[in-house]
């Protein structure tokens, strides 16, 4: 074809709302040599049959940011691109049947206010002003979002396509992709109309994203972790009473989301639209006898209304109008689900210059923001806000088909579930087990999953309530409380041992490794035989990741980082390797496990198990033998006590663990470790350490070496910020917190003004106080300043602490 584009800067595969939004944002930013290819017509997939709801509500700070952007963008998009759209901003109410649900609403409402959104907490009586037709006698209350609404998905997609074309973007419809190739640094996208050479490729293929993902496997890709679910909603015939109310008031009634029963109910013209998320849900195209068709464009599954009977009956009791008419049309279509129900937006794991924007369960609500985020990733290699919650690299190799299917069924069936801080979801477990797993479970270990690895959160005693029901609370107190307290006190007074499989671990070795790392990290590297903490920044000086570095030799390092950071940090390191370098970066995560042995009696315990020189100072390491195995002893402790990390091969770690227990160590879990680390002000990755903050804002200047001869990413930005001063600063707060500790991103107030946000919170058992770490307006960071932290709707007094650990501020215990 003469006018077919054979070259482009970016090729986007998939013509739904996310693909067109990405093209639109790229073109608006001046990247007008980009092409979108769609195998059928635009909107032919999930976009075509989507209900089109556009809420702001989200339990995730990052997802709320994305949805907030979408909703605001849609309100002006029709005028911006001169394309008519049906966008009804009718507002929506969420119903609460319990105190716990009201607490969740208070939590999200606080996040919303911090992002400039109005989300009002309502009594049952107040809810009736927004929808007078519903029953409220059994409700605890609810939440009102005036900016919630619904939009026509096809019109939205066509408006984005028009805006993209007007700005220079190209769209090729009826242009299936048949394969991919590489030629040097260029991609070759093979389509039925011809090849397109480009720099970047984006998989926005909706429920076909896994099939498209297979094309990337020869270039380092993996099987995309997703499942296609069947989602139904139905539209009723017109309802005279609803028609009369609409004419009288000149607007729709507010949408209802009964999240405890798990459905939404909104006005559609003069009828109703009911969309449940049923527990007895169904996945499609997951078995050999139900293969995914080559093309399912503009198609639906057969009706299956029997699955929805419970929800229909409940909705009729809630809104009796629903029972006054019949079903006009049922829609039962495919919708992609990632295991956690959140989309995958960002760099494709293991593949250079490839990105993903798929697996949207709420694609219309998130499509505008997703296009913005994807365009930022492509153009700048970083995003305006931290978007780890939706980063594809959050899943690693454990996310196989069995995991994805069981988790998708669980997530869909609990779409509106509350995610309590001490609750562990049961599906998709035991994917990666420590050699000590059976022993830990026998000791009472209550397990949690960390990048697929099972770790003990706490250790129960006989008679403790270990049911899921016991964890359905936002409160600090639960069956775990006395056990976590005892574990923390054992570490404080004696010696504890924590089995810690799954640390992300990279071996960097070969000529030039030293100089390369010096030019990549913001600070200094440790000397041979020593351990150090290093930080990596992006071009704006923001925190990308934190790693501990063990220096074995001049050009021989072991880098250790958070379990969940494995593919994120692997891709960061390998993506910055220069062409033709003599050193290598190897992921050795699965070869070695770790034990933390810590407490004032840890030296005495270890002295009976090995011949190591345990007088070597803090931040040193040495090799020794223990229980017949070779181990590396690092004198570090995330718990803030005298202690060591024991790193050993998986084959040796069980015997070592048994010997440590036999020598008198108390097993402790991740809950105790979190309480211990927060008393020391130690930061956690993607909570306290995220790209929402620079190294200077994060209080990490002591880890920066501005005067070293090597440049490093973000150096210029950090120098400029240092000169002008930071607008906000990391602080430790002691909070009069009541029954709950501050969750992530709780707003901090001075009077009625939001002046910061918490990044983590927990109870400190050694200092006997509720502690929050967070970011605060710089002029308020003087020790003794009193602010307020909003915790589940309650304003709690919080006092700024000195810039030092609350526990053992001079680090005398850790250096003992």
């Amino acid at each position: 074809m003469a006018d077919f584009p054979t070259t482009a800067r970016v090729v986007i595969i998939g013509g739904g709302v996310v693909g067109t939004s990405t093209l639109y944002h790229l073109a608006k930013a001046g990247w007008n040599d980009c092409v979108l290819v769609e195998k059928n017509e635009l909107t032919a997939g999930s976009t075509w049959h989507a209900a089109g709801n556009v809420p702001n509500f989200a339990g995730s700070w990052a997802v709320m940011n994305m949805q907030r952007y979408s909703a605001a963008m849609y309100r002006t998009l029709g005028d911006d691109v001169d394309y008519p759209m049906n966008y009804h901003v009718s507002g929506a109410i969420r119903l609460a049947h319990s105190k716990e649900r009201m607490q969740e609403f208070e939590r999200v409402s606080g996040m919303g206010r911090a992002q400039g959104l109005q989300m009002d907490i309502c009594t049952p009586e107040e809810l009736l002003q927004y929808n007078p037709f519903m029953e409220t006698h059994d409700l605890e209350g609810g939440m009102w979002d005036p900016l919630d609404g619904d939009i026509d998905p096809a019109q939205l997609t066509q408006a984005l396509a028009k805006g993209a074309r007007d700005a220079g973007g190209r769209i090729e419809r009826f242009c299936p992709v048949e394969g991919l190739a590489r030629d040097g640094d260029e991609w070759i996208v093979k389509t039925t109309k011809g090849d397109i050479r480009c720099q970047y490729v984006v998989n926005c293929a909706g429920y076909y994203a896994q099939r498209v993902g297979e094309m990337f496997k020869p270039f380092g890709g993996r099987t995309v972790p997703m499942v296609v679910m069947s989602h139904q909603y139905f539209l009723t015939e017109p309802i005279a009473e609803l028609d009369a109310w609409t004419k009288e008031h000149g607007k729709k009634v507010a949408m209802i989301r009964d999240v405890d029963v798990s459905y939404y109910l909104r006005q559609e013209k003069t009828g109703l639209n009911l969309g449940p998320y049923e527990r007895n849900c169904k996945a499609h195209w997951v078995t050999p006898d139900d293969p995914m068709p080559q093309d399912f464009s503009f198609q639906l599954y057969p009706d299956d209304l029997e699955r929805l009977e419970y929800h229909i009956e409940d909705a009729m009791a809630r809104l009796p109008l629903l029972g006054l008419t019949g079903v006009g049309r049922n829609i039962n279509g495919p919708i992609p689900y990632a295991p956690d129900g959140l989309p995958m937006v960002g760099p494709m794991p293991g593949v250079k210059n490839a990105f993903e924007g798929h697996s949207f369960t709420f694609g219309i609500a998130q499509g505008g923001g997703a296009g913005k985020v994807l365009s930022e990733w492509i153009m700048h290699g970083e995003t305006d806000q931290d978007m780890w919650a939706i980063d594809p690299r959050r899943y690693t190799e454990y996310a196989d088909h069995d995991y994805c299917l069981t988790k998708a069924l669980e997530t869909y069936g609990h779409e509106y579930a509350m995610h309590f801080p001490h609750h562990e979801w049961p599906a998709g477990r035991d994917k990666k087990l420590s050699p000590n797993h059976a022993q830990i479970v026998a000791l009472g270990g209550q397990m949690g999953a960390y990048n697929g690895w099972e770790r003990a959160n706490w250790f129960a005693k006989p008679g403790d309530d270990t049911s899921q029901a016991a964890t359905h609370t936002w409160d600090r107190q639960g069956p775990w409380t006395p056990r976590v307290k005892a574990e923390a006190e054992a570490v404080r007074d004696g010696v504890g041992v924590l089995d810690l499989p799954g640390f992300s671990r990279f071996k960097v070795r070969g000529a030039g490794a030293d100089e390369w790392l010096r030019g990549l990290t913001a600070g200094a590297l440790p000397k041979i035989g020593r351990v150090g903490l290093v930080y990596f920044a992006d071009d704006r000086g923001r925190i990308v990741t934190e790693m501990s570095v063990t220096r074995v030799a001049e050009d021989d390092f072991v880098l250790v980082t958070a379990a969940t950071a494995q593919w994120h940090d692997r891709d960061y390191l390998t993506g910055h390797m220069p062409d033709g370098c003599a050193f290598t970066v190897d992921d050795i995560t699965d070869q070695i496990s770790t034990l933390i042995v810590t407490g004032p009696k840890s030296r005495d315990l270890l002295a009976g198990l090995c011949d190591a020189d345990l007088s070597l100072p803090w931040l040193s390491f040495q090799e020794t033998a223990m229980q017949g195995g070779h181990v590396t002893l690092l004198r570090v402790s995330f718990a803030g006590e005298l202690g060591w990390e024991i790193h050993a091969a998986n084959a040796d770690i069980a015997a070592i663990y048994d010997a440590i227990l036999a020598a008198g160590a108390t097993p402790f879990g991740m809950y105790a470790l979190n309480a211990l680390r927060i008393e020391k002000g130690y930061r956690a990755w993607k909570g306290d350490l995220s790209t929402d903050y620079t190294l200077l804002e994060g209080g990490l200047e002591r880890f920066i070496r501005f005067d070293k001869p090597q440049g490093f990413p973000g150096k210029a930005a950090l120098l400029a910020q240092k000169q002008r001063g930071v607008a906000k600063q990391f602080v430790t707060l002691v909070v009069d917190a009541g029954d709950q500790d501050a969750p992530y991103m709780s707003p901090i107030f001075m009077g009625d003004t939001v002046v910061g946000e918490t990044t983590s919170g927990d109870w400190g058992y050694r200092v006997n106080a509720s502690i929050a770490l967070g970011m605060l307006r710089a002029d308020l960071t003087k020790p003794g300043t009193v602010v307020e932290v909003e915790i589940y709707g309650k304003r709690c007094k919080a006092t700024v602490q000195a810039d030092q650990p609350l526990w053992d501020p001079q680090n005398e215990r850790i250096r003992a």
Side-chain angles (χ1 to χ4, degrees):
M1 301 177 67
D3 61 345
F4 183 75
T6 58
T7 63
R9 203 169 187 179
V10 182
V11 171
I12 299 163
I13 303 171
V17 66
V18 177
T20 53
S21 177
T22 304
L23 184 69
Y24 173 73
H25 282 87
L26 287 168
K28 273 188 63 179
W31 282 42
N32 51 22
D33 50 349
C34 303
V35 178
L36 182 151
V37 293
E38 162 57 44
K39 64 184 173 62
N40 198 281
E41 181 57 89
L42 297 182
T43 78
S46 294
T47 300
W48 166 68
H49 62 76
N53 297 325
V54 186
N56 286 298
F57 186 101
S60 159
W61 178 265
V63 173
M64 180 183 283
N65 253 321
M66 186 167 62
Q67 292 180 182
R68 175 181 56 82
Y69 175 89
S70 293
M73 171 188 165
Y74 298 166
R75 291 195 288 272
T76 65
L77 182 62
D79 292 335
D80 293 343
V81 302
D82 192 25
Y83 191 92
M85 290 195 308
N86 291 319
Y87 183 22
H88 308 107
V89 184
S90 57
I93 50 179
R94 289 174 183 259
L95 311 183
H97 295 247
S98 66
K99 177 194 77 172
E100 288 77 17
R101 184 65 78 174
M102 288 297 288
Q103 288 175 293
E104 181 200 41
F105 290 171
E106 293 275 16
R107 154 102 173 112
V108 174
S109 172
M111 289 200 303
R113 283 193 296 277
Q115 292 194 19
L117 295 170
Q118 174 191 346
M119 292 180 173
D120 296 333
I121 303 301
C122 301
T123 66
E125 294 73 26
E126 289 170 336
L127 295 174
L128 289 172
Q129 66 183 302
Y130 305 117
N131 193 318
F133 297 105
M134 68 176 181
E135 297 292 328
T136 61
H137 62 279
D138 57 342
L139 298 177
E140 188 80 18
M143 171 192 263
W144 162 245
D145 179 359
L147 294 178
D148 204 324
D150 62 272
I151 197 168
D152 185 301
Q155 291 177 344
L156 170 61
T157 305
Q158 294 296 343
L160 291 165
K162 180 181 184 297
R165 288 188 182 107
D166 289 348
R170 290 286 301 268
I171 296 176
E172 290 292 329
R173 300 169 301 146
F174 304 101
C175 185
V177 174
E178 297 180 316
L180 297 168
R182 291 282 285 176
D183 184 6
D185 287 336
E186 288 187 327
W187 286 104
I188 302 172
V189 181
K190 299 176 177 294
T191 81
T192 55
K193 293 183 179 181
D195 294 351
I196 309 175
R197 286 180 171 265
C198 62
Q199 187 176 358
Y200 305 102
V201 181
V202 191
N203 180 359
C204 291
Y207 53 73
Y208 278 97
Q210 190 176 83
R211 178 171 288 175
V212 170
E214 295 297 301
M215 301 178 188
F216 291 90
K217 278 190 171 179
F219 312 103
R222 86 297 188 211
T223 299
V224 173
M226 60 169 285
V227 165
V228 179
M229 298 293 295
S230 157
H231 179 58
Q232 293 186 90
Y233 64 92
F234 70 78
L235 309 173
T236 72
E237 299 288 356
I239 300 172
E241 290 85 347
L242 202 56
D243 185 23
W245 190 93
T246 302
K247 288 177 179 176
E248 179 184 350
H249 294 86
K251 62 180 181 179
K252 288 180 168 185
V253 295
M255 177 192 290
I256 296 170
R257 286 189 178 87
D258 196 329
V259 289
D260 288 312
V261 185
S262 194
Y263 64 81
Y264 69 82
L265 186 61
R266 82 163 197 242
Q267 183 175 342
E268 184 76 23
K269 296 182 179 177
T270 58
L272 292 167
N273 173 338
L274 176 66
Y277 289 89
E278 69 279 11
R279 293 285 172 89
N280 56 330
C281 51
K282 184 177 181 180
H284 274 281
W285 307 333
V286 292
T287 59
D289 60 349
D290 182 26
M292 175 179 277
Q294 191 61 34
D295 190 358
F296 200 70
S297 300
F298 298 112
Q299 296 183 58
L300 297 172
Y301 302 132
D303 293 352
D304 192 8
L305 281 171
E306 289 185 6
R307 293 210 321 257
L308 311 184
E309 284 183 0
Y310 165 76
H311 301 277
I312 295 171
E313 291 171 0
D314 190 275
M316 288 171 63
R318 178 67 56 203
L319 199 78
L321 283 181
L322 184 62
L324 300 180
T325 187
V327 175
R329 186 187 179 201
N330 188 65
I331 290 89
N332 183 10
I335 182 171
Y337 255 74
D340 60 4
L342 299 181
M344 283 176 250
V345 182
M348 184 180 295
V351 185
K352 184 180 180 180
N353 290 345
F355 297 86
E356 297 184 317
H358 57 72
S359 302
F360 288 82
T361 60
F362 299 98
I364 305 305
Q366 297 166 359
K372 171 183 178 286
V373 169
L374 264 174
S375 68
E376 291 167 353
W377 270 122
I378 295 164
M379 294 186 297
H380 311 302
E382 55 195 36
T383 53
D384 279 350
Q385 285 112 18
D386 192 280
M387 300 304 293
W388 175 245
I390 59 173
D391 194 306
R393 296 167 294 183
R394 69 188 188 272
Y395 293 112
T396 60
E397 80 287 349
Y398 71 90
D400 57 15
H401 176 72
D402 170 71
Y403 176 85
C404 293
L405 177 58
T406 56
K407 290 299 291 184
L409 292 168
E410 178 183 67
T411 301
Y412 180 101
H414 298 82
E415 181 60 58
Y416 294 124
M418 291 176 276
H419 294 268
F420 297 109
H422 294 96
H423 178 64
E424 294 286 338
W425 293 94
R429 300 300 296 273
D430 293 351
K431 301 305 292 186
K432 302 180 82 171
L433 302 180
S434 160
N436 298 312
H437 181 75
Q439 167 81 307
I440 287 166
V441 171
L443 289 168
Q446 303 303 300
M447 311 305 288
Y450 299 81
N451 191 30
W453 290 95
E454 295 290 326
R455 295 175 177 172
N457 284 327
W458 62 287
F459 286 85
K461 300 292 186 184
D464 286 347
D465 184 355
T466 59
S467 67
Q468 285 197 50
T471 68
H472 292 175
T473 177
W474 303 106
D475 291 353
R476 177 189 313 113
Q477 297 288 334
W480 52 84
T481 307
R483 308 304 171 212
V484 175
K485 181 177 186 290
E487 292 170 23
E489 290 173 346
V491 171
R492 180 194 67 189
D493 301 331
V495 56
V497 59
L498 173 64
D499 184 59
L500 204 64
F503 260 146
S504 301
R505 197 181 310 260
F506 307 96
K507 186 76 170 172
V508 181
R509 182 167 45 187
D514 170 78
E515 188 66 19
W516 174 67
L517 280 173
R518 288 183 189 279
L520 198 56
T521 65
L525 297 178
K527 297 177 181 179
I528 295 171
R530 302 285 288 173
V531 182
L533 200 59
V534 298
Y535 290 88
F536 300 79
D538 64 15
D539 288 339
R540 284 178 267 186
R542 302 178 307 175
I543 304 164
V544 172
T545 193
E546 169 198 79
M547 299 188 195
S548 70
V549 177
T550 300
R551 187 165 195 161
V552 181
E554 183 67 22
D555 283 312
D556 190 348
F557 304 86
V558 176
L559 277 54
V560 176
T561 182
T564 50
Q566 183 182 1
W567 280 8
H568 175 281
D569 286 3
R570 176 203 67 184
D571 286 2
Y572 180 84
L573 292 171
T574 58
H576 283 84
M577 292 175 68
D579 293 337
C581 62
F583 60 88
T584 57
V585 176
D586 296 311
D587 186 339
I588 58 172
T589 299
D590 291 343
Q591 300 175 24
I592 299 173
S593 194
T594 303
L595 303 174
I596 292 179
V597 179
T598 186
K601 298 179 181 179
S602 56
R603 178 180 282 118
D604 296 338
L605 184 148
L606 290 175
L609 297 177
C610 68
D611 295 327
D613 181 0
L614 299 175
S615 67
L616 290 182
W618 186 41
L619 300 179
S620 63
F621 82 93
Q622 59 188 303
E623 311 290 331
T624 190
M626 194 176 294
Q627 298 301 300
H630 176 269
V631 305
T632 302
L633 279 181
L634 275 65
R635 192 173 163 190
V636 295
S637 174
F638 200 52
E641 299 284 352
L642 173 69
W644 283 261
E645 289 179 1
I646 300 174
H647 298 258
N650 287 321
D652 299 325
I653 205 78
I656 298 169
Y657 185 67
D658 287 344
I660 291 169
L661 289 176
T666 299
F668 69 100
M670 298 299 290
Y671 289 171
L673 182 64
N674 193 64
L676 294 163
R677 70 95 188 168
I678 208 166
E679 292 174 307
K680 294 292 291 182
Y682 293 160
R683 282 69 153 170
W685 190 68
K686 289 306 179 188
D688 316 297
L689 303 171
S690 81
T691 52
D692 283 331
Y693 312 115
T694 69
L695 291 173
L696 293 176
E697 289 169 340
L700 300 170
E701 185 172 357
R702 66 188 183 279
F703 295 99
I704 304 173
R705 294 293 182 269
F706 286 116
D707 58 351
K708 67 179 182 177
Q710 299 84 2
F712 58 87
K715 182 176 182 179
L718 289 167
L719 280 169
Q721 187 178 54
K722 182 176 172 63
Q723 185 174 15
R724 69 176 179 268
V726 296
K728 54 186 175 182
Q729 182 73 53
F730 179 86
V731 292
T732 298
L733 303 170
V734 170
V735 188
D736 296 346
D739 295 331
Q740 304 92 26
D741 299 307
Y744 175 66
M745 288 296 176
S746 295
I748 303 173
F749 287 87
M750 175 62 79
D752 290 328
T753 302
V754 175
V755 292
E757 66 275 348
T758 63
T759 52
S760 59
D762 205 344
W763 184 265
Y765 292 95
R766 292 176 297 193
V767 301
N768 198 36
S770 182
I771 305 164
L773 308 182
M775 303 299 294
L776 187 62
R777 207 174 70 195
D779 62 307
L780 299 174
T781 57
K782 181 180 178 181
T785 302
V786 175
V787 291
E788 290 181 307
V789 175
E790 184 176 288
I791 302 177
Y792 302 107
K794 296 179 181 178
R795 297 276 185 91
C796 301
K797 175 186 173 183
T799 305
V800 177
Q801 304 298 300
D803 185 18
Q804 62 185 21
L806 292 176
W807 175 252
D808 186 26
Q810 302 306 316
N811 289 328
E812 294 171 352
R813 295 169 68 92
I814 206 169
R815 296 176 184 269

